[in-house]
């Protein structure tokens, strides 16, 4: 499983969902759709209409991958922090039952309020 305490793995920027769809589509259940995707240097996070999928690409060749599925139904609470003048990163903190806190950090002008809206739609 991915070590979510090491947030530097997840400095993410928005990416074209088509770039990751081929890799994660086999994980989808019936009716699941990709909503938005974010990518780091190698790793990425996909927000679907049912869950969050974090992919940690491992090894020298990048063929080994860890897929962590986090269903919205297991989120107990969440928090977003938008980027500021000096702090240019936005943050999303999620607390999952059985997993604990998961933090994603976003570079640039990612609209973290839109992410909160996506999560809130499925959690509240």
């Amino acid at each position: 499983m991915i070590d979510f305490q090491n947030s530097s793995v997840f400095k993410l920027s928005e990416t074209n969902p088509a770039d990751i769809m081929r890799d994660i589509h086999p994980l989808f259940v019936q009716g699941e759709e990709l909503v938005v995707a974010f990518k780091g240097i190698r790793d990425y996070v996909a927000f679907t209409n049912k869950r969050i999928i974090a992919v940690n690409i491992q090894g020298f060749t990048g063929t080994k991958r860890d897929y962590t599925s986090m269903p919205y139904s297991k989120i107990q609470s969440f928090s977003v922090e938008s980027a500021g003048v000096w702090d240019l990163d936005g943050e999303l903190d999620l607390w999952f039952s059985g997993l604990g806190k998961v933090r994603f950090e976003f570079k640039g002008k990612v609209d973290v309020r839109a992410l909160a809206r996506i999560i809130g739609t499925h959690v509240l």
Side-chain angles (χ1 to χ4, degrees):
M1 178 173 285
I2 298 170
D3 177 12
F4 290 103
Q5 303 310 311
N6 182 3
S7 61
S8 63
V9 172
F10 290 104
K11 289 271 188 172
L12 304 162
S13 299
E14 196 162 358
T15 188
N16 182 350
D19 293 343
I20 65 166
M21 192 60 167
R22 192 176 99 213
D23 189 37
I24 63 170
H25 191 265
L27 300 172
F28 283 14
V29 297
Q30 185 175 8
E32 190 167 13
E33 299 173 5
L34 183 58
V35 177
V36 67
F38 299 90
K39 190 168 182 154
I41 294 171
R42 290 173 47 157
D43 303 332
Y44 61 88
V45 177
F47 290 78
T48 76
N49 61 329
K50 298 189 179 286
R51 60 185 159 167
I52 301 166
I53 301 170
V55 181
N56 181 0
I57 300 175
Q58 303 171 0
F60 182 71
T61 62
T63 55
K64 183 175 180 181
R65 293 162 191 247
D66 176 81
Y67 299 90
T68 301
S69 176
M70 298 167 278
Y72 295 126
S73 63
K74 299 297 182 186
I75 296 175
Q76 294 177 317
S77 63
F78 61 95
S79 169
V80 294
E81 182 178 304
S82 63
V85 175
W86 304 111
D87 181 7
L88 302 177
D89 296 333
E91 298 170 357
L92 170 63
D93 291 328
L94 305 158
W95 286 267
F96 287 89
S97 61
L99 180 61
K101 181 179 175 183
V102 172
R103 170 173 277 184
F104 298 113
E105 293 185 17
F106 301 92
K107 295 187 291 189
K109 300 191 184 268
V110 171
D111 186 359
V112 292
R113 292 174 296 184
L115 291 174
R117 200 169 34 255
I118 291 168
I119 293 165
T121 299
H122 298 288
V123 171
L124 303 176

